[in-house]
Amino acid sequence: MACDRSGNCRHCGDLRCGLSPNQKHSENPRSRALAGADDGERPAAGEVPTALREARGMAAVRAVEAYRSDALDFLDELESGAGPDGAERTADAEGDSPAVTVEGESPGSRIGPARDAFERLRDRVARADALGGDVPPAAADGLVKAADALGTYVRTGDETTLTTANRLIDDASVDDFDPADR
């Protein structure tokens, strides 16, 4: 498909598509980058066209914010289900069991480190948001991976995933978010 003379793309309908009337979407780097999106595939960070950099960054910001909010709600419920020693409560005399459960030993001991890491992640995400998502795609992907690693830590208690999350958060430094690095 190609754009008509008015600039409307006959394929995507985008006025800003940018293809000339004689070009096909398969010749457009943006179209190639989005080719696998319907199947859940994303282009590698190095293949993200400059025109999609902000959109990818903002998508990461929104995804991490939503995940972080849900994870903090989960931690609240986990905390209410933990006993004073950090061990998970079992069903009480009335048969009520905790609202959420996780794998591993002493789930309550994960709450503090997870909250601290989620707070540090929030700071990095807020910086990316303030820049309108105009961050390196690898940094945006790092924020998503850090959130995923934190979720794994909360669910399993695997300390290596907490270490990985902290490293990813540290790697997403303010210097990585400098738009001058385009």
Side-chain angles (χ1 to χ4, degrees):
M1 299 287 168
C3 293
D4 63 24
R5 300 243 178 251
S6 67
N8 291 330
C9 179
R10 291 187 300 249
H11 176 70
C12 68
D14 190 346
L15 291 172
R16 298 169 290 141
C17 179
L19 292 179
S20 70
N22 298 326
Q23 278 185 308
K24 295 182 178 177
H25 268 272
S26 61
E27 298 168 1
N28 184 332
R30 284 192 282 173
S31 295
R32 285 194 304 268
L34 296 173
D38 290 340
D39 299 325
E41 296 175 21
R42 295 170 30 137
E47 298 173 6
V48 175
T50 303
L52 295 179
R53 177 180 161 134
E54 290 178 15
R56 184 163 176 156
M58 287 307 294
V61 163
R62 298 296 174 247
V64 172
E65 284 177 340
Y67 188 87
R68 182 182 161 278
S69 176
D70 289 348
L72 291 174
D73 289 345
F74 184 89
L75 287 172
D76 288 343
E77 289 194 31
L78 183 62
E79 190 170 39
S80 71
D85 60 354
E88 187 176 336
R89 280 190 335 215
T90 56
D92 60 18
E94 289 86 38
D96 293 334
S97 42
V100 296
T101 59
V102 293
E103 301 171 17
E105 298 293 318
S106 188
S109 66
R110 303 175 206 162
I111 296 169
R115 284 189 193 282
D116 292 345
F118 274 119
E119 185 65 21
R120 292 179 50 241
L121 181 60
R122 182 195 61 80
D123 293 342
R124 298 296 198 271
V125 169
R127 173 78 170 134
D129 191 18
L131 292 170
D134 191 8
V135 298
D141 290 352
L143 296 172
V144 173
K145 290 176 184 174
D148 184 48
L150 283 172
T152 300
Y153 168 69
V154 170
R155 288 187 309 276
T156 66
D158 181 358
E159 293 286 332
T160 59
T161 59
L162 177 62
T163 302
T164 298
N166 282 321
R167 181 185 47 78
L168 289 165
I169 294 167
D170 290 341
D171 289 349
S173 71
V174 174
D175 295 337
D176 288 342
F177 295 165
D178 184 1
D181 287 341
R182 289 183 197 196

